Amino acid sequence: MIRARDLSVVRRGPGRPPVRALRGVCVGVGPGEVLAVLGPTGSGKTTLIEALAGLCPISGGRVEIGPEGQGVSWGPGGVPPAGVRQGIGTLFQMPERQLFGATALEDVSWGLGPGGRERAQGALARVGLGRELWDVPLALLSRGERRRVALAVALVREPRVLLLDEPLAGLDPDGQGLLWEELRVFLVRERGAVVLTSHWPEEVLPRAHRVLCLDRGEVRFDGTPGEFLQAARHRPGLARLLPRGWVPEAGDQTTDAR
Amino acid sequence: MARGGQQILRGVDLAVAPGTWTALVGRNGAGKSTLLRVLKGIERPDAGGVYLGSGPLEGPDPRIGLVLDSPEDQGVAPVVEDDIAFGLELQGLPPAEIGRRVGEVLGRLDIAGLRKRPAHTLSGGQAQKVALAAVLVLGARFLLLDESLAHLSPPERDRVLLDLEGLRSGGLGLVLATHRADEVLWADRVVWLEQGRVRFLGAPEELFALPECPWAGYGERCRRAGVPPGGAAFRAWAVMGQGL
């Protein structure tokens, strides 16, 4: 569905030498699958999301969306065609920043055309934002409520691919449950593909089909959640990604909750 | 407190003593951030008041530090060391003293390598640690943390929690808003806000024992795993390095 081959990204900014944020990353996620991207801060998780979304220029390799070998792809200097971008829903790490409408309903229905209001209402209901908040000025919503609005924006265009940067951070337990339920519907009914980043293996392992660990821009692990837990027993570099104050539920961890 | 005719906080009574750790939990929109902003003195309640020591809080006070979840919201200077030094410069400290204190706080949070970095090149977790440093360097006596650990990786978060415990045992009063049960464990007591009211106030293990609590049963899981169920016992266990 979406894959990157030998992907490299060099970040350039004023006042600092260029930084190779990703090097030689190979990654792919198919229809109905969740890919969880783990790694310490600064490891390249956000850059990967932005590169897959076509929002940051890549310096090497290719990104492809669609059936393998027959999809639309772009390489260094390229950008995804507008039609492809429509099929990608993106949630940024600070999603409350990606909103600009006066109200939740206005923001979600922006640019949808006729019938947009009804579709926006549907999306807001799906993410569990109370109806009484749809027409309240966005500035008066809490951060977590604004995150739900941003998720509704990502879902309302019925994307094929969802790229979510730390979607669980800042959501209350109910909100996390709703998000997973929404993703499950997206995966099963619409056969979409999901790439999401997290710092917390225990949050994503029960639901992910594949786990990718990044460290300093390179892939340190690529496999199933079960393989990740196996590998974490022997590789201290992976083990330190597991939170240590956390006590998992019996039967947590691998495949049962999918 | 009200927003758009809707009450955000209603009749909240809360006292935070030096050297204690309070966790603040509740659904998105329950009023957690608003309560912290009121405690910091940057929002005025419509009724009631905030008292620091013996006097009422008239406005923002450097003795109370607030750290947000999005560090970009509180950065002021383009380079890390200048950002951390900013508050000290406002206090009129001599440059050598400022440099020393900035170096000390960077070392304490294990981010000395970021000292000369432009702030816009930091990752989310790195930026959060810089924001924490900028508040700690002022010598705050109370620290309000608004989901401030949400974007840190597990080892970084554990390190910051241990740093916070060091500050608490040194006499700081902490209030940590969080959505994570394993962060609630660090607190002496928990305030559960619901629709702006205090729904529950008590020890972490009492919260986990409530059937309607989102983490019901977590205390039992901790007990079975031999993890102390919260407060001083948990912190002592964590500081001893068991499980960390």
Side-chain angles (χ1 to χ4, degrees):
Chain A
M1 182 69 106
I2 186 163
R3 68 198 71 77
R5 244 179 255 306
D6 206 20
L7 179 67
S8 293
V9 172
V10 176
R11 289 281 202 185
R12 293 166 207 281
R16 84 187 275 208
V19 172
R20 196 168 275 280
L22 291 178
R23 40 183 134 195
V25 171
C26 291
V27 59
V29 56
E33 286 185 351
V34 174
L35 170 74
V37 182
L38 299 169
T41 52
S43 61
K45 300 187 296 295
T46 296
T47 301
L48 179 61
I49 292 284
E50 291 180 5
L52 292 178
L55 295 173
C56 87
I58 65 181
S59 45
R62 284 197 92 70
V63 179
E64 183 185 33
I65 293 188
E68 190 159 2
Q70 304 159 34
V72 179
S73 73
W74 65 95
V79 288
V84 168
R85 294 272 297 278
Q86 287 279 336
I88 305 176
T90 312
L91 191 69
F92 297 102
Q93 196 177 116
M94 298 286 172
E96 52 273 29
R97 302 265 171 74
Q98 68 192 71
L99 309 175
F100 54 88
T103 67
L105 193 54
E106 188 186 307
D107 199 277
V108 180
S109 57
W110 190 83
L112 289 179
R117 209 177 150 78
E118 289 68 32
R119 282 167 67 194
Q121 287 170 342
L124 287 168
R126 279 163 75 184
V127 298
L129 188 77
R131 186 175 290 266
E132 70 281 4
L133 297 175
W134 292 358
D135 294 304
V136 168
L138 272 178
L140 296 179
L141 299 192
S142 81
R143 193 175 44 228
E145 288 162 350
R146 275 180 266 165
R147 286 181 171 246
R148 293 184 188 202
V149 177
L151 183 63
V153 173
L155 286 168
V156 75
R157 285 166 203 274
E158 288 156 23
R160 306 295 316 285
V161 177
L162 277 177
L163 305 173
L164 312 172
D165 197 1
E166 291 190 35
L168 299 162
L171 282 185
D172 58 41
D174 288 351
Q176 293 199 0
L178 265 173
L179 173 65
W180 283 118
E181 182 52 31
E182 197 48 55
L183 291 183
R184 203 181 61 78
V185 170
F186 177 72
L187 295 167
V188 172
R189 194 182 298 158
E190 297 167 39
R191 300 293 293 159
V194 176
V195 180
L196 57 84
T197 69
S198 173
H199 282 304
W200 301 101
E202 99 275 3
E203 279 179 354
V204 297
L205 288 184
R207 271 101 167 181
H209 300 81
R210 250 190 130 63
V211 178
L212 186 81
C213 284
L214 292 175
D215 192 13
R216 277 169 280 181
E218 294 183 29
V219 175
R220 300 282 175 203
F221 176 86
D222 181 8
T224 65
E227 289 165 351
F228 174 83
L229 287 170
Q230 282 282 335
R233 292 203 189 100
H234 311 295
R235 289 165 57 183
L238 293 179
R240 74 191 165 89
L241 293 173
L242 288 162
R244 278 162 287 184
W246 179 258
V247 183
E249 253 175 293
D252 242 2
Q253 308 275 347
T254 46
T255 54
D256 52 341
R258 254 183 233 161
Chain B
M1 284 294 301
R3 66 171 172 185
Q6 186 194 348
Q7 290 260 308
I8 302 180
L9 294 176
R10 321 171 201 217
V12 173
D13 286 316
L14 177 66
V16 179
T20 64
W21 191 321
T22 303
L24 185 57
V25 303
R27 299 174 59 108
N28 295 136
K32 300 185 296 296
S33 297
T34 304
L35 176 57
L36 294 181
R37 291 165 63 84
V38 169
L39 290 176
K40 167 69 186 160
I42 51 182
E43 282 199 42
R44 277 180 178 277
D46 299 323
V50 179
Y51 298 85
L52 178 62
S54 55
L57 191 69
E58 303 289 356
D61 188 304
R63 289 174 293 172
I64 302 174
L66 173 64
V67 182
L68 306 173
D69 89 315
S70 41
E72 296 90 333
D73 288 346
Q74 59 192 104
V76 291
V79 176
V80 166
E81 67 174 342
D82 299 338
D83 191 65
I84 297 172
F86 181 73
L88 298 173
E89 285 164 4
L90 287 185
Q91 292 181 357
L93 267 68
E97 172 69 5
I98 291 177
R100 192 187 64 74
R101 282 170 67 169
V102 169
E104 182 191 270
V105 77
L106 285 169
R108 199 193 309 170
L109 292 175
D110 202 17
I111 50 172
L114 302 180
R115 185 165 186 152
K116 303 283 180 192
R117 282 275 293 274
H120 71 275
T121 67
L122 301 176
S123 74
Q126 290 167 336
Q128 191 54 273
K129 293 181 90 165
V130 170
L132 195 56
V135 170
L136 286 178
V137 79
L138 296 173
R141 290 169 55 192
F142 293 90
L143 209 46
L144 313 173
L145 302 134
D146 193 359
E147 295 179 34
S148 313
L149 311 174
H151 295 288
L152 300 180
S153 66
E156 278 181 329
R157 183 205 65 160
D158 291 346
R159 234 176 357 249
V160 174
L161 283 166
L162 285 171
D163 287 334
L164 291 174
E165 167 55 11
L167 296 166
R168 186 213 58 79
S169 66
L172 233 77
L174 301 179
V175 182
L176 172 66
T178 178
H179 289 301
R180 289 190 62 93
D182 58 341
E183 288 170 11
V184 170
L185 285 175
W186 290 78
D188 299 296
R189 57 182 193 152
V190 192
V191 179
W192 179 5
L193 281 185
E194 195 166 271
Q195 294 181 349
R197 291 182 207 279
V198 176
R199 171 163 179 178
F200 166 86
L201 176 67
E205 58 266 37
E206 292 166 357
L207 173 77
F208 297 140
L210 298 177
E212 67 273 27
C213 150
W215 305 292
Y218 185 64
E220 179 54 34
R221 277 153 58 193
C222 287
R223 230 183 333 276
R224 269 189 266 121
V227 174
F234 177 83
R235 294 194 299 266
W237 177 84
V239 171
M240 286 293 287
Q242 298 187 52
L244 275 175

